[in-house]
Amino acid sequence: MEEKKIPYKIYLNESEIPTKWYNMRADMKNKPAPLLNPGTLEPMTAEELAPVFCDELVKQELNDTDAYIDIPEEIQKFYKMYRPSPLIRAYFLEKALDTPAKIYYKFEGNNTSGSHKLNSAIAQAYYAKKQGLKGVTTETGAGQWGTALSMACSYFGIDCKVYMVKVSYEQKPFRREVMRTYGASVTPSPSNTTNVGKKILAEHPGTTGSLGCAISEAVEVATTTEGYRYVLGSVLNQVLLHQSVIGLETKTAMDKYGIKPDIIIGCAGGGSNLGGLISPFMGEKLRGEADYRIIAVEPASCPSFTRGKFAYDFCDTGMVCPLAKMYTLGSGFIPSANHAGGLRYHGMSSTLSQLYHDGLMEATSVEQTSVFDAAEQFARVEGILPAPESSHAIRVAIDEALKCKETGEEKTILFGLTGTGYFDMVAYEKYNDGVMTDYIPSDADLEKGFAGLPKVDL
Amino acid sequence: MEEKKIPYKIYLNESEIPTKWYNMRADMKNKPAPLLNPGTLEPMTAEELAPVFCDELVKQELNDTDAYIDIPEEIQKFYKMYRPSPLIRAYFLEKALDTPAKIYYKFEGNNTSGSHKLNSAIAQAYYAKKQGLKGVTTETGAGQWGTALSMACSYFGIDCKVYMVKVSYEQKPFRREVMRTYGASVTPSPSNTTNVGKKILAEHPGTTGSLGCAISEAVEVATTTEGYRYVLGSVLNQVLLHQSVIGLETKTAMDKYGIKPDIIIGCAGGGSNLGGLISPFMGEKLRGEADYRIIAVEPASCPSFTRGKFAYDFCDTGMVCPLAKMYTLGSGFIPSANHAGGLRYHGMSSTLSQLYHDGLMEATSVEQTSVFDAAEQFARVEGILPAPESSHAIRVAIDEALKCKETGEEKTILFGLTGTGYFDMVAYEKYNDGVMTDYIPSDADLEKGFAGLPKVDL
């Protein structure tokens, strides 16, 4: 295809927003391992999952055969509120780096949730409403998922109870107010409102919490309250499915201009953004139609892919959830209070874990201070203040672009800019004041986490 | 023209970003009154303005004859970083209100400054750089202008000193960090770093500051520091000129779809957003080519248009600036600490003041709590958390749409959504907690401000 002049921002038409989600699992030879019942060690059935998740979402969770799943019209309509999101050519960054690389990023931050999380939140709220539920419970780390879900629940008029990781609750007091503005209730986790929260507080007084703790609390409330279900913002197959809109839009935009990425980079906490961004590209790779270098970037302080074990583990700290096979640091691992709250999860999407295990993608970890170096550099030239989570991807994109500068290669680099950092100014303040620290867990720290892995031999 | 299907968001192509600014003054029969030298009461000359403003900006300030002024290429390039901004059809809001009105808003908040302020900041920083200056000083109220200017100065590599109204500095601690991330220095105003600041503090201990105070301090620093000039984010003719990109893009987008607004609404603090939005529409009105109902919305706590006097006054509290003829509450008027910091200015753009005086536009004032009612309603259905300033326009847009519901009229309403409220969560918290108060100055309060008006008989 003849190369067209690439604008700074490629916006698709609304008619080009996907009408079907793409389900990577359908094209995987080695399917992600099923969720297991921790009692029987048998794969969880739809019936067993029904008390936790909405019925339609259970179907999506278990469906590893249909490559495309229709997006309901109501969700398509909501997507038009903030989608299509722009694919941005980072001309300013390229110039600042003086690199021959061509850098693109898909920017998902231009909505009030501040991130890509809304893509799945609206789907999950829709199915909850359709099932006639009163409300949903959830956890939130950085607060982006909680905000997204509160927006979605407000739109459909259902209740939303959010358990927010305590360190984020304290670092981001204003996140709570956004959620309240959308009518949600927000509780710092671990809390005294649940049995599992009380237990964790007793065992780890003074803990700053973790996504794993918050999940346990939210699940407990959902399964013990009439008319409620639990929803999760990452990790699950269903979430990656919904997030495929990111990648599908990106691919459509790139195809329009005859662009083919050599390297695709995304930050990875539970894997929702990365899984969404890479979906159609990984699909081509799985079907042998194209090849891409795909890089997951995680914080050095919470290195599930790069230093974790590929094993069955609990998704939550309180061990109330099913077992999932994934790269994990152990559900008892409580990461340090670094500033990328959305990446502080001990495990990783089963789908991405399988792909990584099969050598279909790479992973790398980066340290916090170098991440904020990249964030500041990016903000100054591209004019978007990035979320700390997204800045992990920026760090590696810049590094790859600088490698191109050395070698003279004109590689095309695509990364996911998942969100904005407007609620992360405590972190930026530490960085601006020069008092930000890095933390890398020792092998002994990791061993403690691994020691808590369930003894499942499969 | 045949009516086309209107998408949720109308994005122009990058090639449709204006290449010339439109200067309303050229089409005004009654030109805005000139700035006066407070000593001689003669119109300020370019030479007299040169120690305060950049040379090219002085030319723009005084130019009331050229209808179009070329946008320099470097600025056009920067505009592509975040422009064109979307014109959004408020389908969700229309449905929620059950109104036959068609509501559109031009959304200027999708850049890190969080508002339209970047449109003028980049122009002013560019001319400062071109003149070989070391840096610029400015004031900021809500912090949006300061953020925009720090982004622009960082882009062109010049220094940026910001005096931030103390109440905003305290309400929005994180704004400071964004500015610092872009390399600016930020001082709460009034401060002890200037003579005028010391004087104001001595006379009004415990004052929460005002834009008028902060302007005085910034001007003092600019005029007493080698290689610096002062830049202002609103009020001035040059700023309205730069902000005409808002209206020009809006008009291009509307023309494309054959849309003609009946009512155009914008919030008004100093007038930059409103002046920019209405520019090309007012141009048609001035030339007798079309008619539009144009409404300025101001806070009831700072009602320059609706309760002020049309008179020569100082632009700043310290009375170090030239005199401008405008609707004013008196430069000594210090408005209550309401949450729309960007609208807490005692005066108003001379251009808009003249247009209002000549009956070419209307003005109305609204109270804070009703503004947040509108903000919350808007956020819940349109998915954008609006800035308190912008929410003044939303309030009146909703009221007009509800009038249409009563009368059955299908009016087309356009309003300016100048920015996002991510840094206004202290205000939203007060609103969510039900402890927000309204404040309307008494006639006696206003008389105190008027008593300080300079005795100029012209």
Side-chain angles (χ1 to χ4, degrees):
Chain A
M1 191 186 292
E2 196 190 346
E3 195 168 323
K4 293 185 204 170
K5 188 173 179 303
I6 314 288
Y8 283 73
K9 298 183 292 305
I10 305 176
Y11 275 105
L12 298 176
N13 297 319
E14 277 165 19
S15 59
E16 293 168 302
I17 298 176
T19 56
K20 293 170 192 294
W21 291 304
Y22 169 62
N23 183 8
M24 267 192 292
R25 289 167 289 162
D27 285 315
M28 288 169 70
K29 250 181 246 170
N30 298 328
K31 307 285 183 191
L35 294 170
L36 296 189
N37 180 316
T40 64
L41 298 187
E42 291 295 318
M44 293 286 286
T45 62
E47 291 68 32
E48 287 173 315
L49 287 169
V52 183
F53 300 121
C54 302
D55 297 345
E56 194 61 32
L57 292 167
V58 168
K59 280 188 209 161
Q60 293 180 358
E61 190 62 29
L62 300 178
N63 183 342
D64 59 9
T65 50
D66 295 327
Y68 288 94
I69 291 173
D70 286 338
I71 304 176
E73 250 178 53
E74 291 88 337
I75 299 174
Q76 285 189 44
K77 188 178 162 195
F78 187 89
Y79 278 167
K80 289 182 185 164
M81 188 190 282
Y82 68 103
R83 307 201 68 82
S85 71
L87 177 68
I88 302 179
R89 172 76 181 265
Y91 283 119
F92 292 103
L93 181 61
E94 290 170 18
K95 193 182 163 202
L97 298 174
D98 188 23
T99 175
K102 292 164 184 169
I103 309 176
Y104 293 86
Y105 55 97
K106 179 73 167 170
F107 181 40
E108 292 285 319
N110 271 351
N111 69 75
T112 284
S113 80
S115 81
H116 65 294
K117 295 286 187 181
L118 198 51
N119 301 327
S120 183
I122 192 62
Q124 299 197 44
Y126 166 76
Y127 291 119
K129 174 76 176 178
K130 205 180 151 204
Q131 194 174 325
L133 297 177
K134 282 187 209 155
V136 292
T137 69
T138 199
E139 84 300 330
T140 197
Q144 292 163 337
W145 167 247
T147 311
L149 190 69
S150 61
M151 288 176 70
C153 288
S154 157
Y155 182 73
F156 284 120
I158 61 173
D159 185 38
C160 180
K161 295 186 197 301
V162 180
Y163 284 83
M164 186 168 185
V165 176
K166 193 183 268 175
V167 62
S168 290
Y169 186 90
E170 286 165 3
Q171 279 179 359
K172 303 177 185 189
F174 296 160
R175 273 280 181 203
R176 182 193 62 220
E177 290 311 320
V178 184
M179 292 187 248
R180 284 180 74 205
T181 299
Y182 286 97
S185 71
V186 188
T187 309
S189 167
S191 77
N192 279 313
T193 66
T194 64
N195 292 327
V196 67
K198 285 177 201 160
K199 186 160 170 273
I200 291 166
L201 280 174
E203 284 168 13
H204 304 276
T207 175
T208 54
S210 71
L211 280 169
C213 298
I215 292 172
S216 298
E217 295 203 80
V219 171
E220 180 181 321
V221 173
T223 51
T224 56
T225 313
E226 178 69 26
Y228 280 76
R229 291 295 184 282
Y230 166 69
V231 297
L232 178 63
S234 190
V235 182
L236 295 174
N237 297 322
Q238 59 189 267
V239 180
L240 269 69
L241 175 73
H242 306 148
Q243 293 296 358
S244 67
V245 293
I246 304 173
L248 292 165
E249 279 187 11
T250 303
K251 186 133 196 343
T252 302
M254 289 194 140
D255 286 349
K256 260 188 154 174
Y257 286 89
I259 306 159
K260 188 178 172 296
D262 297 298
I263 310 175
I264 304 172
I265 301 164
C267 63
S272 74
N273 142 66
L274 180 69
L277 176 66
I278 67 173
S279 278
F281 301 100
M282 184 59 87
E284 289 188 316
K285 195 165 170 168
L286 290 163
R287 297 188 303 269
E289 297 163 7
D291 197 16
Y292 303 99
R293 197 178 152 212
I294 294 172
I295 309 174
V297 188
E298 55 187 17
S301 60
C302 194
S304 324
F305 267 139
T306 49
R307 297 176 68 197
K309 286 197 193 306
F310 188 43
Y312 265 106
D313 193 11
F314 288 96
C315 296
D316 63 321
T317 309
M319 305 187 199
V320 302
C321 290
L323 299 174
K325 189 165 183 190
M326 56 185 177
Y327 279 86
T328 178
L329 299 166
S331 64
F333 179 82
I334 295 195
S336 72
N338 86 70
H339 290 287
L343 305 183
R344 295 174 73 243
Y345 182 62
H346 68 276
M348 182 57 67
S349 143
S350 285
T351 301
L352 293 186
S353 292
Q354 187 66 48
L355 292 167
Y356 179 62
H357 188 68
D358 291 343
L360 288 153
M361 50 182 279
E362 306 167 28
T364 188
S365 74
V366 288
E367 292 181 44
Q368 176 159 261
T369 310
S370 76
V371 165
F372 275 83
D373 288 342
E376 188 192 77
Q377 181 172 22
F378 180 84
R380 289 193 176 195
V381 296
E382 288 288 321
I384 296 171
L385 191 82
E389 291 81 3
S390 323
S391 304
H392 286 67
I394 297 174
R395 171 75 275 160
V396 173
I398 289 177
D399 291 344
E400 290 294 331
L402 291 175
K403 281 184 209 162
C404 288
K405 186 178 175 178
E406 277 179 31
T407 62
E409 288 173 289
E410 290 186 25
K411 285 188 183 162
T412 297
I413 299 170
L414 164 67
F415 70 90
L417 188 69
T418 56
T420 49
Y422 299 122
F423 293 102
D424 298 285
M425 296 320 297
V426 168
Y428 275 95
E429 184 174 13
K430 282 207 175 143
Y431 176 77
N432 291 335
D433 288 341
V435 297
M436 177 168 277
T437 51
D438 290 321
Y439 172 75
I440 302 178
S442 67
D443 288 343
D445 292 334
L446 295 188
E447 283 308 324
K448 275 185 232 160
F450 296 146
L453 285 174
K455 304 294 173 270
V456 179
D457 190 20
L458 285 166
Chain B
M1 192 185 295
E2 194 191 346
E3 194 168 325
K4 294 184 202 169
K5 187 173 180 303
I6 313 286
Y8 284 72
K9 297 183 293 307
I10 305 176
Y11 276 105
L12 299 175
N13 297 318
E14 277 165 21
S15 59
E16 293 169 303
I17 297 175
T19 56
K20 294 171 192 294
W21 291 306
Y22 169 62
N23 183 10
M24 266 192 295
R25 289 167 290 162
D27 285 316
M28 289 168 70
K29 250 182 246 168
N30 299 329
K31 306 286 184 191
L35 295 171
L36 295 189
N37 180 316
T40 65
L41 298 186
E42 291 296 316
M44 292 288 285
T45 62
E47 291 68 34
E48 288 174 313
L49 288 168
V52 182
F53 299 122
C54 303
D55 297 344
E56 194 62 33
L57 293 167
V58 168
K59 280 188 208 160
Q60 294 179 359
E61 190 62 30
L62 299 178
N63 184 342
D64 60 10
T65 50
D66 296 326
Y68 288 94
I69 291 174
D70 286 337
I71 303 177
E73 249 178 54
E74 290 88 337
I75 298 174
Q76 285 190 44
K77 189 178 161 192
F78 187 88
Y79 277 167
K80 289 182 185 166
M81 189 190 281
Y82 67 102
R83 306 202 69 83
S85 70
L87 177 69
I88 303 178
R89 172 76 182 266
Y91 283 118
F92 293 104
L93 180 62
E94 290 170 18
K95 193 182 163 202
L97 298 174
D98 189 23
T99 175
K102 292 165 185 169
I103 309 175
Y104 293 85
Y105 54 99
K106 178 73 167 169
F107 180 40
E108 292 285 318
N110 270 350
N111 69 73
T112 284
S113 80
S115 82
H116 67 293
K117 295 285 187 181
L118 198 50
N119 301 328
S120 183
I122 193 62
Q124 298 197 43
Y126 166 77
Y127 290 120
K129 174 76 177 178
K130 206 179 151 206
Q131 195 175 324
L133 297 177
K134 283 186 209 155
V136 293
T137 70
T138 199
E139 83 300 329
T140 197
Q144 291 163 338
W145 167 248
T147 311
L149 190 68
S150 60
M151 287 176 71
C153 288
S154 157
Y155 182 73
F156 283 122
I158 61 174
D159 185 39
C160 180
K161 295 185 197 301
V162 180
Y163 284 83
M164 185 169 186
V165 176
K166 193 182 267 173
V167 62
S168 291
Y169 185 90
E170 285 163 4
Q171 278 177 0
K172 304 179 186 188
F174 296 161
R175 272 281 181 203
R176 183 192 60 218
E177 291 310 320
V178 185
M179 292 186 247
R180 284 180 74 204
T181 299
Y182 285 97
S185 70
V186 189
T187 308
S189 168
S191 77
N192 279 313
T193 66
T194 64
N195 291 327
V196 67
K198 285 176 201 162
K199 185 161 171 272
I200 292 166
L201 281 174
E203 285 169 12
H204 304 276
T207 175
T208 54
S210 70
L211 279 170
C213 298
I215 292 171
S216 298
E217 294 203 81
V219 171
E220 179 181 322
V221 173
T223 52
T224 55
T225 313
E226 176 69 27
Y228 279 75
R229 291 295 183 283
Y230 167 69
V231 297
L232 178 64
S234 190
V235 182
L236 296 173
N237 297 323
Q238 60 189 265
V239 179
L240 269 69
L241 175 72
H242 306 148
Q243 294 296 356
S244 68
V245 293
I246 304 172
L248 291 166
E249 278 187 12
T250 303
K251 184 133 198 342
T252 302
M254 290 195 138
D255 286 348
K256 259 188 154 175
Y257 286 88
I259 307 159
K260 188 177 172 298
D262 298 298
I263 310 175
I264 305 173
I265 301 164
C267 62
S272 75
N273 143 66
L274 180 68
L277 176 68
I278 67 174
S279 278
F281 302 99
M282 184 59 86
E284 289 187 317
K285 195 163 170 169
L286 289 165
R287 297 187 303 269
E289 297 164 7
D291 197 17
Y292 304 98
R293 197 177 152 213
I294 294 173
I295 308 174
V297 188
E298 55 188 16
S301 60
C302 192
S304 325
F305 268 139
T306 50
R307 297 176 68 197
K309 287 199 193 306
F310 188 43
Y312 265 105
D313 193 11
F314 288 95
C315 296
D316 63 321
T317 309
M319 307 187 199
V320 301
C321 291
L323 299 174
K325 190 166 183 188
M326 55 186 177
Y327 280 86
T328 178
L329 300 166
S331 64
F333 179 82
I334 296 194
S336 72
N338 86 69
H339 290 287
L343 304 183
R344 295 174 73 243
Y345 182 62
H346 68 275
M348 184 57 67
S349 145
S350 285
T351 302
L352 293 186
S353 292
Q354 188 64 49
L355 292 167
Y356 178 63
H357 187 70
D358 291 343
L360 289 153
M361 50 183 278
E362 306 168 28
T364 187
S365 74
V366 289
E367 290 180 46
Q368 175 159 261
T369 310
S370 77
V371 165
F372 275 83
D373 288 344
E376 187 191 77
Q377 182 172 20
F378 181 84
R380 288 193 177 195
V381 295
E382 288 289 319
I384 295 171
L385 189 82
E389 292 82 2
S390 324
S391 304
H392 286 67
I394 297 174
R395 172 74 276 159
V396 174
I398 288 176
D399 290 345
E400 291 294 331
L402 291 175
K403 281 184 207 161
C404 289
K405 185 178 176 178
E406 276 180 32
T407 62
E409 288 172 289
E410 291 186 24
K411 285 190 183 161
T412 296
I413 299 169
L414 164 67
F415 71 90
L417 188 69
T418 56
T420 49
Y422 299 123
F423 292 101
D424 299 285
M425 297 319 298
V426 167
Y428 275 95
E429 183 173 14
K430 282 207 175 142
Y431 176 77
N432 290 335
D433 288 342
V435 296
M436 178 168 275
T437 52
D438 290 322
Y439 172 75
I440 303 178
S442 68
D443 288 342
D445 292 333
L446 294 188
E447 283 308 324
K448 275 184 231 161
F450 297 146
L453 284 173
K455 305 292 171 273
V456 180
D457 189 21
L458 285 166

